[in-house]
Amino acid sequence: MSWNLKEQTLGTYVIGSTISDNTSVNSGSAIPYQIYSGTTSHGISVSNGVFTLPKGEWLVSFTLESQTAGAIHTADIYIDGSIDSRWPKIECFANSTQSDMNTTAATIRSSGSTTIELRVNNSATTYSSRSDCVIYGVKVWVI
């Protein structure tokens, strides 16, 4: 006996999230993105800036803007709690003004509970409420 498992997509999704207010974030902490209220049925959850992705294929795009003039800051993508160096980190070396929007992204094939977050590597920095995370992708299931 053999099995022929096929995957079927359950839909295409675009999920937006942002920092609710200008927020100070400590070194080693995730940027506290929150999913926009009123968006449902995509299966993605976020807690303290850590997104949990359902089974599917996803593109996660992070933007980050410092509100602290002269703040030198960096941030890395962490997948399942470990730094993932395949994707570029956000680096800002502003020395006299607040930073412009800095961005990075990662593509992920989740088996059903993959986590992703953007963690800062510097001393406490205040980030703008204009910072956001947009997740594009499809949920899949086996038929």
Side-chain angles (χ1 to χ4, degrees):
M1 178 179 270
S2 65
W3 297 94
N4 184 10
L5 298 177
K6 296 183 179 180
E7 290 182 336
Q8 181 173 342
T9 64
L10 294 175
T12 304
Y13 299 90
V14 177
I15 297 93
S17 62
T18 189
I19 300 173
S20 62
D21 294 310
N22 293 351
T23 303
S24 180
V25 181
N26 292 322
S27 179
S29 296
I31 302 297
Y33 296 106
Q34 299 174 0
I35 295 174
Y36 295 139
S37 62
T39 61
T40 59
S41 74
H42 45 68
I44 294 173
S45 62
V46 63
S47 176
N48 298 318
V50 179
F51 293 90
T52 302
L53 304 173
K55 184 172 185 169
E57 296 180 0
W58 306 98
L59 169 66
V60 183
S61 175
F62 296 102
T63 62
L64 192 58
E65 179 180 57
S66 169
Q67 284 294 103
T68 307
I72 295 173
H73 64 98
T74 62
D76 288 292
I77 293 174
Y78 281 69
I79 297 176
D80 291 331
S82 297
I83 194 168
D84 193 317
S85 59
R86 294 175 296 174
W87 313 110
K89 69 173 65 180
I90 287 178
E91 296 181 294
C92 179
F93 300 107
N95 57 12
S96 61
T97 61
Q98 71 186 45
S99 72
D100 293 325
M101 284 291 197
N102 297 281
T103 187
T104 188
T107 56
I108 300 172
R109 182 170 177 86
S110 173
S111 61
S113 61
T114 302
T115 63
I116 185 168
E117 62 195 286
L118 185 66
R119 274 193 216 169
V120 296
N121 302 317
N122 44 282
S123 59
T125 301
T126 300
Y127 293 101
S128 163
S129 61
R130 292 183 300 269
S131 302
D132 65 6
C133 174
V134 179
I135 302 172
Y136 311 88
V138 295
K139 286 175 35 176
V140 297
W141 64 289
V142 177
I143 56 171

